[in-house]
Amino acid sequence: MSNLSTTSDDILACARSLIVAGGYNGFSYADIADVVGIRKASIHHHFPSKVDLVRTLVARYREEAEAGMANLELQVSDPLEQLRSYAGYWEACIADASAPFCVCALLASQLPVLPAEVGLEVRAHFRSLSAWLTSVLERGARHGQLQLMSTPRAEAEAFMATVHGAMLSARAYGDPKIFGAVTGPLLERLQIRS
Amino acid sequence: MSNLSTTSDDILACARSLIVAGGYNGFSYADIADVVGIRKASIHHHFPSKVDLVRTLVARYREEAEAGMANLELQVSDPLEQLRSYAGYWEACIADASAPFCVCALLASQLPVLPAEVGLEVRAHFRSLSAWLTSVLERGARHGQLQLMSTPRAEAEAFMATVHGAMLSARAYGDPKIFGAVTGPLLERLQIRS
DNA sequence: GACGGCCATCCTACCAGAAGGTAGACAAAG
DNA sequence: CTTTGTCTACCTTCTGGTAGGATGGCCGTC
């Protein structure tokens, strides 16, 4: 009943946290081997090459992200509350330092030196996140629940950029609170004022 | 009269563009040697270690940035116009692909794996940029030239984060225009409306 | 003006360790 | 008796870095 081969999951989880810390070139098979308690060669059994490893890692990350958005659609009806949940998710991740950066955001910064296959996955995440944010904002505006200053699409891009920038600032300042300090007003601005 | 040893400048310029492309671990002495047309060992004459190279590179970048802000203070009096110039500078850099990312923003994303000395310089840039933005916004608000929705400090952090996030999005989408699409409305929002 | 020393620059050659990756043996499970 | 997962051992290339020798400009001295 338990997952078959939790080892490969361990490898993915470990690689993910190493990527979040230092990007594609910031870790090696040896690093993973040390943490997971396995030999380098054994990792190659699960993921023949580093590109395989990172590609499936990002693919899985994307699945989780899509699932998260879908879940938010089901669980939360109010658009503003959906955005709050999204920002809140990251605020919690950053606060407890469990995963203080979006894997795809970090990899995107290194796009020019990324293997093409990984780059494609990363770009796809940006498109899907942006599409979801656009739909949320569009719906909020249409139902008079959100106050937009420009098109939903433009507002979504700005929202996404600000969230990513806030992650960066939190890391640069070494202060998790800065994330909330930036995203809080971002959400307030979307709120309908009487 | 000409600069003494333009070679070391060439090395710094080359390293800068390589860092902008792939971060600290995204380039090697061999890469620089190839581009500059010099042997690996010769680079060590100018910069004994990679840490030396990157530290002085970032230090110089910071000097240029500070000089740029000081210059903006002298040349442009209107706060909104100063911000527009700042954003416009990056918009141009991204559009012509000459330096499509802030060195410090890129390095900040890898802070956990950065040598401590480099990390210090990177953090210092964030503080000085944020301080300048804060002062511009504060002055603009005080003189009734800008419309702020919260404190100058908070607004400055949000501004900086959005600009950095816009760089990331432009890279992720492979589309320079997205930078202007995000920063344009950001500036508009600060404008006084009658 | 010639001479020798100094020093900055660049070179070839080399090194140790880390990188990603391969080959093949072994054990356990089905 | 094959499949799955792990291991040891090894390979090649890259990595940052070192040692020491050539070159050549600049200096003060004779």
Side-chain angles (χ1 to χ4, degrees):
Chain A
M1 178 64 194
S2 72
N3 298 354
L4 29 82
S5 162
T6 184
T7 303
S8 104
D9 292 344
D10 289 352
I11 294 169
L12 285 171
C14 174
R16 184 186 289 201
S17 77
L18 288 171
I19 284 182
V20 164
Y24 189 83
N25 293 309
F27 77 101
S28 73
Y29 269 40
D31 296 329
I32 298 176
D34 285 346
V35 175
V36 176
I38 210 179
R39 300 292 143 159
K40 260 193 341 166
S42 304
I43 304 176
H44 284 283
H45 171 74
H46 297 279
F47 306 98
S49 79
K50 194 177 182 179
V51 174
D52 289 316
L53 170 58
V54 178
R55 185 172 25 76
T56 67
L57 181 159
V58 177
R60 181 167 299 195
Y61 178 81
R62 290 222 299 129
E63 281 170 28
E64 289 173 26
E66 305 257 11
M69 300 180 217
N71 188 52
L72 234 43
E73 289 293 322
L74 292 175
Q75 306 288 325
V76 184
S77 57
D78 181 50
L80 182 62
E81 214 48 51
Q82 290 183 322
L83 297 176
R84 248 196 269 274
S85 293
Y86 170 73
Y89 166 78
W90 279 111
E91 193 167 357
C93 286
I94 293 170
D96 70 7
S98 58
F101 223 99
C102 166
V103 170
C104 288
L106 215 154
L107 288 176
S109 75
Q110 314 182 323
L111 257 176
V113 297
L114 244 42
E117 302 153 81
V118 176
L120 284 176
E121 293 284 345
V122 169
R123 290 164 188 273
H125 174 76
F126 270 75
R127 282 195 301 271
S128 97
L129 175 55
S130 152
W132 177 67
L133 290 172
T134 302
S135 80
V136 172
L137 290 166
E138 196 275 330
R139 188 159 42 86
R142 185 153 36 85
H143 294 177
Q145 295 161 297
L146 292 180
Q147 181 193 41
L148 304 195
M149 302 196 58
S150 51
T151 67
R153 173 74 209 286
E155 204 86 36
E157 294 297 346
F159 187 93
M160 184 173 75
T162 306
V163 168
H164 287 154
M167 289 176 192
L168 190 66
S169 293
R171 173 159 280 187
Y173 289 125
D175 176 15
K177 289 194 298 297
I178 198 79
F179 182 83
V182 168
T183 54
L186 179 66
L187 289 160
E188 275 175 39
R189 211 183 318 116
L190 293 167
Q191 206 163 2
I192 297 284
R193 270 173 297 279
S194 50
Chain B
M1 181 61 195
S2 71
N3 297 356
L4 28 82
S5 162
T6 184
T7 303
S8 104
D9 292 343
D10 289 351
I11 294 170
L12 286 171
C14 174
R16 184 185 291 200
S17 76
L18 289 170
I19 284 183
V20 164
Y24 189 83
N25 293 310
F27 77 101
S28 73
Y29 269 41
D31 296 328
I32 299 176
D34 284 346
V35 176
V36 177
I38 208 179
R39 299 293 142 156
K40 258 193 347 167
S42 305
I43 304 176
H44 284 282
H45 170 74
H46 297 277
F47 306 98
S49 80
K50 194 177 182 180
V51 175
D52 290 316
L53 170 58
V54 178
R55 184 172 26 75
T56 68
L57 182 160
V58 177
R60 180 167 301 196
Y61 179 81
R62 291 224 297 128
E63 281 171 28
E64 288 172 25
E66 304 257 13
M69 301 180 217
N71 188 51
L72 235 42
E73 288 294 322
L74 292 174
Q75 306 287 325
V76 183
S77 58
D78 181 50
L80 182 62
E81 215 47 51
Q82 288 183 324
L83 297 177
R84 247 197 268 274
S85 293
Y86 170 72
Y89 165 78
W90 279 112
E91 194 167 355
C93 286
I94 294 170
D96 69 7
S98 58
F101 223 100
C102 165
V103 170
C104 287
L106 215 153
L107 289 175
S109 74
Q110 315 183 322
L111 257 176
V113 298
L114 244 42
E117 302 153 81
V118 175
L120 284 175
E121 293 283 345
V122 169
R123 291 165 189 272
H125 174 76
F126 270 76
R127 282 195 301 272
S128 98
L129 175 55
S130 152
W132 177 68
L133 290 171
T134 302
S135 80
V136 172
L137 290 167
E138 197 274 329
R139 189 158 43 85
R142 186 154 35 85
H143 294 177
Q145 295 161 296
L146 291 181
Q147 181 193 39
L148 304 195
M149 302 197 58
S150 52
T151 66
R153 174 73 208 287
E155 204 86 39
E157 294 296 348
F159 187 92
M160 184 173 75
T162 305
V163 167
H164 287 154
M167 287 176 192
L168 190 67
S169 293
R171 173 160 282 187
Y173 289 123
D175 176 13
K177 288 192 298 296
I178 198 77
F179 182 83
V182 169
T183 54
L186 179 66
L187 289 160
E188 276 173 39
R189 211 184 319 117
L190 292 166
Q191 207 163 2
I192 297 286
R193 270 175 298 278
S194 49

